[in-house]
Amino acid sequence: MRAIWKGAVSFGLVSIGVKVYSATEEKDIRFHQVHREDGGRIRYKRTCSVCGEEVTYDDIAKGYDIGGGEMVILTDEDFADLPLTTSKAIDVLEFVPAEQVDPILYNKAYFLEPESSATKPYVLLRDALADSERVAIVKVALRQREQLATLRVREGVLLLNTMLWPDEVRTPDFGFLDEDLKVRPPELAMASSLIDSMAGEFEPDAFTDDYRAALQEVIDAKIEGREVVQPEEEEAAPAAAVDLMAALKASVERARVARGEAPTGGAAEPTPITSARSAQQAAKAAKTTKAPAKKAAEKKAPAKKAEPAKKAAKKAEPAKKAAARKTAEKKAAKAPAKKAAEKKAAPRRTA
């Protein structure tokens, strides 16, 4: 690591020479802007909007816009004359309990390494600070800006945490803060149960940047000229449940199962999500059973229509037979009369 600042920790009448190093580094994969056609780097020129000429860093100054097109120009000499009493010192102001410092104020972290001649007073301050269970509130000027910071011990090293000034923290202004929202005790109890079921010890190494790993895999595949294997998609989270209690209960059971614990109370109570799934499955089952029954009914329908016709035909048979019998009798009665008439009408033969 390379030191970014050198100075001293001013602790009462004791001065401890230290070097400051960045304690963190971003692991983001960085890209250059390039020309899509040939991969050439895109360069930006610093040009003046008034004269159009390209400007070097030596000719660049800081300007403060006062409005109306007017600009106040400040040079390095103007900044050098500012009375920064902490320009080369980390001035300890007071020692306070760590829990009194709101984490939102923390900005960047730096390690402090003692100069070779200041190792003993450095260790003395470190051990005294650790025993007190407090953090030191200090002022320091880094990169021409005075900052508030804390000093605490981490892994045997003094850690400097720069802080935001109180007026740099915004005040939340949201409409729901003015609403009279009341949470029912059972809902609060269930939410607390969910928190308890998901409680654990924080282990930073257990968490990884999956996006960065996947992006690095894509880059490596491009370099090696092989195909990129897409990771399996995670199961989509269910839509927000209408019943808050049911959603909380389902979340508790899910957390217990994820931790390898058996679900409580045997069969879990149906939630709006599971009820909707059950309704969909029941509807599908009803459709499949209704379809064959409907087809069978359609096949049987013509047979039902034919049955009344057969019955009517059976009923009509005796009437037909009686009518035929009467016709035959009439014909039989008419036959002798017909023969007698024929005999009378026939001419007599002469001898």
Side-chain angles (χ1 to χ4, degrees):
M1 292 188 292
R2 197 178 90 179
I4 64 169
W5 186 89
K6 289 184 179 181
V9 177
S10 178
F11 176 39
L13 298 177
V14 179
S15 182
I16 307 170
V18 294
K19 298 176 183 177
V20 176
Y21 301 83
S22 292
T24 60
E25 60 178 337
E26 292 186 2
K27 292 289 186 177
D28 283 347
I29 297 175
R30 300 182 182 277
F31 296 97
H32 296 295
Q33 288 186 324
V34 297
H35 187 196
R36 188 189 299 276
E37 299 296 329
D38 53 22
R41 290 278 300 274
I42 305 299
R43 304 289 184 184
Y44 293 92
K45 294 181 179 181
R46 295 171 297 276
T47 57
C48 176
S49 61
V50 177
C51 63
E53 293 183 3
E54 187 174 351
V55 181
T56 63
Y57 278 112
D58 294 336
D59 293 329
I60 294 177
K62 291 182 173 64
Y64 183 80
D65 190 355
I66 60 176
E70 294 185 284
M71 194 80 65
V72 174
I73 299 175
L74 300 175
T75 63
D76 292 340
E77 291 75 16
D78 294 324
F79 289 101
D81 294 337
L82 293 176
L84 280 178
T85 56
T86 56
S87 59
K88 286 296 178 184
I90 300 173
D91 191 13
V92 178
L93 304 177
E94 59 182 355
F95 297 92
V96 301
E99 61 270 16
Q100 291 184 2
V101 181
D102 192 335
I104 197 175
L105 294 171
Y106 287 128
N107 193 5
K108 293 184 179 180
Y110 301 91
F111 288 131
L112 301 187
E113 180 193 21
E115 295 281 3
S116 56
S117 59
T119 304
K120 187 172 181 178
Y122 178 97
V123 172
L124 176 62
L125 174 60
R126 180 199 66 187
D127 293 347
L129 195 58
D131 291 342
S132 69
E133 297 182 352
R134 292 172 179 264
V135 296
I137 303 297
V138 304
K139 269 189 179 181
V140 59
L142 296 175
R143 297 184 176 91
Q144 297 295 323
R145 182 171 182 246
E146 189 173 59
Q147 299 185 63
L148 196 65
T150 62
L151 270 183
R152 61 186 180 90
V153 181
R154 186 181 188 275
E155 296 181 353
V157 177
L158 288 177
L159 184 72
L160 178 75
N161 271 111
T162 58
M163 301 167 64
L164 301 171
W165 295 100
D167 60 357
E168 292 178 317
V169 179
R170 293 175 174 175
T171 301
D173 184 15
F174 304 115
F176 78 93
L177 295 174
D178 298 327
E179 297 177 9
D180 186 17
L181 298 175
K182 294 182 180 180
V183 177
R184 294 186 298 147
E187 293 174 340
L188 184 59
M190 187 57 66
S192 300
S193 177
L194 176 58
I195 292 173
D196 292 339
S197 65
M198 298 178 67
E201 298 296 329
F202 179 59
E203 298 178 4
D205 294 337
F207 303 94
T208 57
D209 187 347
D210 296 332
Y211 176 81
R212 177 161 56 94
L215 180 57
Q216 187 63 56
E217 172 66 16
V218 172
I219 294 172
D220 294 341
K222 287 272 189 180
I223 295 171
E224 298 172 10
R226 56 185 171 84
E227 290 187 7
V228 180
V229 179
Q230 293 291 341
E232 293 183 5
E233 293 185 2
E234 294 185 3
E235 185 180 351
V242 177
D243 189 346
L244 182 58
M245 282 295 292
L248 288 170
K249 287 181 181 178
S251 300
V252 171
E253 292 299 326
R254 185 176 180 181
R256 283 176 177 155
V257 172
R259 293 168 66 97
E261 299 176 6
T264 59
E269 292 185 13
T271 66
I273 300 168
T274 55
S275 298
R277 288 178 181 169
S278 300
Q280 289 177 353
Q281 292 173 357
K284 285 183 180 178
K287 278 186 178 180
T288 54
T289 54
K290 281 181 182 178
K294 190 176 181 183
K295 289 180 180 177
E298 288 173 355
K299 288 181 180 177
K300 288 180 180 178
K304 285 182 180 178
K305 287 181 180 177
E307 284 178 3
K310 285 181 180 179
K311 288 180 180 178
K314 284 182 180 180
K315 288 180 180 179
E317 281 180 5
K320 283 183 179 180
K321 287 180 179 179
R325 200 178 294 146
K326 286 181 180 180
T327 305
E329 289 175 354
K330 285 179 180 180
K331 284 182 179 180
K334 287 179 180 180
K338 189 177 181 182
K339 285 181 180 180
E342 287 176 354
K343 282 181 180 182
K344 287 181 179 181
R348 293 181 180 182
R349 292 180 182 181
T350 58

